[in-house]
Amino acid sequence: MPEDDVARVAELLRGAGKVVVFTGAGVSAESGVPTFRGAGGLWEGRPVEQLASPQGFVADPVVVWEFYQQRRANLTRVKPNPAHEVLARWQYRFTSYTIATQNVDGLHQAAGAQHVLELHGSIWVIRCSACGRARVDRTVPFPALPPRCETCGGIERPGVVWFGESLPEEVLDAATAAAGSCDVLVVVGTSAVVYPAAGLVHVASAAGATVVEVNPEASAISHIAQHSLRGPAGAVLPTVDSLLGEA
Ligand code: BJW
Ligand code: ZN
């Protein structure tokens, strides 16, 4: 990671008023949360359509729940890393600051971030697929799978967004509005292949924002980014933060 790139990004952020951070699985990788795609990813050798689609859930809710229960169990053992911590601290630095995450793990909030837009829902929310009753539930493991709704006896599902499902409208609207009016969009740890979330980068870029990417690898939006900081978020973001100095 060339030092002058980091310095230029720090300079850019020092002059910025409105900042949006758009994150993906890579921001949690150094906490011990696997990413989805690529070697060692959650989906390596697994049928994605079976585990992350409403059709897969209807076909076999227990298999899908076992996948999510394993991830929930792992999440009880991990903690936020320095990238989450820097991103949480930045909420006190800028006039306007938004974290829009594709992650369902809750680690931004665990690091102290207050207003996180969860584009793909939360693994800690459980929703009844029959009556829609939703609740936060951190039980791990459930005594039996699938968990059942206390109100109607229906099968409960993880409160996440699967392929073919709409993103929560107010969350996507808020993220789109923030991206469309920010000075700088910082894209951290996402392959940026999943839409409409990845569309936030295009929204920001078209509205004239400077796009900064933090990722050890190139992603689908690298060609749009003015600055690409190639390294792990847990090392890159603290370096940028230290160059930013006191708020
Ligand atoms: C590091 C690092 C380190 C590693 N530091 N970085 C064709 C074109 C456009 C769209 C579509 C299309 N065909 C189908 C669609 C729609 C589909 C889609 O986008 N598909 C594409 C894959 C082709 N989208 C949808 O279905 C969405 N809904 C929708 O479109 O509704 C519209 C509609 C609805 C109804 C009727 C009609 C229309 C919903 C998408 C939901 C995605 N859900 C998932 C699962 C969530 C639940 C769960 O967690 O299990 O969300 S999929 C999965 O991918 C998850 C993630 O949030 C998402 C993005 O992944 P992410 O975060 O980018 O992770 P990776 O693994 O891909 O990348 C990790 C990155 O980190 C890499 O770049 C690494 O290099 C990097 N990294 N270590 C920094 N230390
Ligand atoms: Zn119910």
Side-chain angles (χ1 to χ4, degrees):
M1 185 177 52
E3 277 171 28
D4 55 341
D5 279 1
V6 194
R8 254 185 260 132
V9 169
E11 191 60 41
L12 174 72
L13 287 170
R14 212 175 292 127
K18 298 182 181 180
V19 172
V20 174
V21 176
F22 172 51
T23 66
V27 78
S28 297
E30 289 154 87
S31 290
V33 182
T35 60
F36 291 92
R37 297 167 182 82
L42 276 175
W43 286 340
E44 197 182 25
R46 301 213 215 202
V48 173
E49 35 325 306
Q50 189 192 337
L51 298 173
S53 79
Q55 296 81 4
F57 187 68
V58 169
D60 198 336
V62 175
V63 163
V64 174
W65 258 117
E66 279 165 351
F67 173 64
Y68 282 92
Q69 178 148 278
Q70 207 174 49
R71 288 169 59 193
R72 284 164 63 100
N74 181 45
L75 287 172
T76 63
R77 295 186 283 265
V78 308
K79 54 183 184 30
N81 67 56
H84 297 108
E85 283 160 12
V86 165
L87 295 177
R89 277 205 303 280
W90 283 1
Q91 69 198 336
Y92 304 112
R93 171 174 279 279
F94 302 104
T95 313
S96 161
Y97 183 67
T98 305
I99 298 177
T101 188
Q102 298 166 90
N103 298 346
V104 300
D105 57 28
L107 287 177
H108 286 300
Q109 295 91 328
Q114 280 159 18
H115 302 292
V116 180
L117 298 174
E118 293 182 308
L119 294 157
H120 293 161
S122 168
I123 201 165
W124 302 114
V125 170
I126 310 290
R127 192 169 76 240
C128 176
S129 53
C131 74
R133 175 176 166 269
R135 65 204 162 87
V136 172
D137 187 328
R138 300 185 83 93
T139 306
V140 182
F142 285 105
L145 293 179
R148 294 274 180 175
C149 175
E150 276 179 20
T151 308
C152 78
I155 291 179
E156 292 182 305
R157 57 164 282 178
V160 301
V161 181
W162 285 323
F163 285 112
E165 296 186 314
S166 301
L167 277 59
E169 201 180 332
E170 334 72 71
V171 176
L172 181 61
D173 287 352
T176 305
S181 63
C182 66
D183 303 318
V184 180
L185 177 76
V186 185
V187 183
V188 186
T190 178
S191 57
V193 296
V194 173
Y195 281 79
L200 294 174
V201 184
H202 302 272
V203 169
S205 180
T210 304
V211 176
V212 175
E213 178 175 47
V214 179
N215 195 318
E217 310 284 338
S219 79
I221 60 85
S222 294
H223 63 290
I224 297 174
Q226 278 88 351
H227 302 274
S228 291
L229 303 181
R230 292 270 167 257
V236 171
L237 288 172
T239 308
V240 172
D241 188 54
S242 66
L243 292 176
L244 265 174
E246 294 298 311

Coordinates of all heavy atoms in Angstrom, one line a residue, residues 57 61 65 126-129 133 135 137 142 146-150 154-158:
F57 N -35.3 -22.1 1.4 CA -35.8 -22.2 2.8 C -37.1 -23.0 2.8 O -37.2 -23.9 3.7 CB -36.0 -20.8 3.3 CG -36.4 -20.8 4.8 CD1 -35.5 -21.2 5.8 CD2 -37.7 -20.4 5.2 CE1 -35.8 -21.2 7.1 CE2 -38.0 -20.4 6.5 CZ -37.1 -20.8 7.5
P61 N -36.1 -26.0 5.5 CA -35.8 -25.0 6.5 C -34.7 -25.4 7.5 O -33.9 -24.6 8.0 CB -37.1 -24.7 7.2 CG -38.0 -25.7 6.7 CD -37.5 -26.4 5.5
W65 N -31.4 -23.3 8.4 CA -31.2 -22.9 9.8 C -29.9 -23.4 10.3 O -29.3 -22.7 11.1 CB -32.4 -23.3 10.6 CG -33.4 -22.2 10.9 CD1 -34.7 -22.1 10.5 CD2 -33.0 -21.0 11.6 NE1 -35.2 -20.9 10.9 CE2 -34.2 -20.2 11.6 CE3 -31.9 -20.5 12.2 CZ2 -34.3 -18.9 12.2 CZ3 -31.9 -19.2 12.8 CH2 -33.1 -18.5 12.8
I126 N -35.2 -12.5 14.0 CA -35.9 -13.7 13.6 C -37.3 -13.3 13.2 O -38.0 -12.5 13.9 CB -36.1 -14.7 14.8 CG1 -34.8 -14.9 15.5 CG2 -36.7 -16.0 14.3 CD1 -33.8 -15.7 14.7
R127 N -37.8 -13.8 12.1 CA -39.1 -13.3 11.6 C -40.0 -14.5 11.3 O -39.5 -15.5 10.6 CB -38.9 -12.5 10.4 CG -40.2 -11.7 9.9 CD -39.9 -10.7 8.9 NE -39.7 -11.2 7.5 CZ -38.5 -11.1 6.8 NH1 -37.5 -10.5 7.3 NH2 -38.4 -11.7 5.7
C128 N -41.3 -14.5 11.7 CA -42.2 -15.6 11.3 C -42.5 -15.5 9.9 O -43.0 -14.5 9.4 CB -43.4 -15.5 12.2 SG -44.7 -16.8 11.8
S129 N -42.3 -16.6 9.2 CA -42.6 -16.6 7.7 C -44.1 -16.7 7.5 O -44.6 -16.5 6.3 CB -41.9 -17.8 7.0 OG -42.2 -19.0 7.6
R133 N -44.4 -11.7 12.4 CA -43.9 -11.2 13.7 C -42.3 -11.3 13.7 O -41.8 -12.4 13.4 CB -44.5 -12.1 14.8 CG -44.0 -11.8 16.2 CD -44.8 -12.7 17.2 NE -44.2 -12.8 18.5 CZ -43.3 -13.7 18.9 NH1 -42.9 -14.6 18.0 NH2 -42.8 -13.7 20.1
R135 N -38.6 -10.3 15.8 CA -38.0 -10.0 17.1 C -36.5 -10.2 17.0 O -36.0 -10.9 16.2 CB -38.6 -10.9 18.2 CG -38.3 -12.3 18.0 CD -39.3 -13.3 18.6 NE -39.2 -14.6 18.1 CZ -38.3 -15.5 18.6 NH1 -37.5 -15.3 19.6 NH2 -38.3 -16.7 18.0
D137 N -33.5 -11.9 18.6 CA -33.3 -13.1 19.5 C -31.9 -13.6 19.3 O -31.4 -14.0 18.2 CB -34.3 -14.2 19.0 CG -34.3 -15.4 19.9 OD1 -33.2 -15.7 20.5 OD2 -35.4 -16.0 20.1
F142 N -30.7 -22.9 19.2 CA -32.1 -23.1 19.4 C -32.3 -24.5 19.9 O -31.6 -25.4 19.4 CB -33.0 -22.8 18.2 CG -33.1 -21.4 17.9 CD1 -32.4 -20.8 16.8 CD2 -33.9 -20.5 18.6 CE1 -32.5 -19.4 16.6 CE2 -34.1 -19.2 18.4 CZ -33.3 -18.6 17.3
P146 N -36.7 -26.0 12.8 CA -36.6 -24.6 12.8 C -37.4 -24.0 14.0 O -38.3 -24.7 14.5 CB -37.4 -24.2 11.5 CG -38.4 -25.3 11.3 CD -37.7 -26.5 11.8
P147 N -37.0 -22.8 14.5 CA -37.7 -22.2 15.6 C -39.2 -21.9 15.1 O -39.4 -21.7 13.9 CB -37.0 -20.9 16.0 CG -36.0 -20.7 14.8 CD -35.8 -22.0 14.1
R148 N -40.1 -22.0 16.1 CA -41.5 -21.8 15.8 C -42.0 -20.5 16.4 O -41.6 -20.1 17.5 CB -42.4 -22.9 16.3 CG -42.1 -24.3 15.6 CD -42.9 -24.3 14.3 NE -42.7 -25.6 13.6 CZ -43.4 -25.9 12.5 NH1 -44.3 -25.1 12.0 NH2 -43.1 -27.0 11.9
C149 N -43.0 -19.8 15.7 CA -43.6 -18.6 16.2 C -44.5 -18.9 17.4 O -45.3 -19.7 17.3 CB -44.4 -17.9 15.1 SG -45.3 -16.5 15.5
E150 N -44.3 -18.1 18.5 CA -45.1 -18.3 19.7 C -46.5 -17.8 19.4 O -47.5 -18.3 20.1 CB -44.5 -17.4 20.8 CG -43.4 -18.1 21.6 CD -42.9 -17.3 22.7 OE1 -43.6 -16.3 23.1 OE2 -41.7 -17.5 23.1
G154 N -46.1 -20.7 13.2 CA -45.5 -20.7 11.9 C -44.0 -20.9 12.0 O -43.4 -20.8 13.1
I155 N -43.3 -21.3 10.9 CA -41.9 -21.5 10.9 C -41.2 -20.1 10.8 O -41.5 -19.2 10.0 CB -41.5 -22.3 9.6 CG1 -42.0 -23.7 9.8 CG2 -40.0 -22.3 9.4 CD1 -41.7 -24.7 8.7
E156 N -40.3 -19.9 11.8 CA -39.5 -18.6 11.8 C -38.3 -18.8 10.9 O -37.7 -19.8 10.7 CB -39.1 -18.3 13.2 CG -40.4 -17.9 14.0 CD -40.0 -17.5 15.5 OE1 -39.3 -18.3 16.1 OE2 -40.4 -16.4 15.9
R157 N -37.9 -17.6 10.4 CA -36.7 -17.5 9.5 C -35.7 -16.5 9.9 O -36.1 -15.6 10.7 CB -37.2 -17.3 8.0 CG -38.0 -16.0 7.9 CD -38.1 -15.5 6.5 NE -36.9 -14.9 6.1 CZ -36.6 -14.4 4.9 NH1 -37.5 -14.5 3.9 NH2 -35.4 -13.8 4.6
P158 N -34.5 -16.5 9.5 CA -33.5 -15.5 9.8 C -34.0 -14.1 9.1 O -34.5 -14.2 8.0 CB -32.2 -15.9 9.2 CG -32.4 -17.4 8.9 CD -33.9 -17.6 8.7

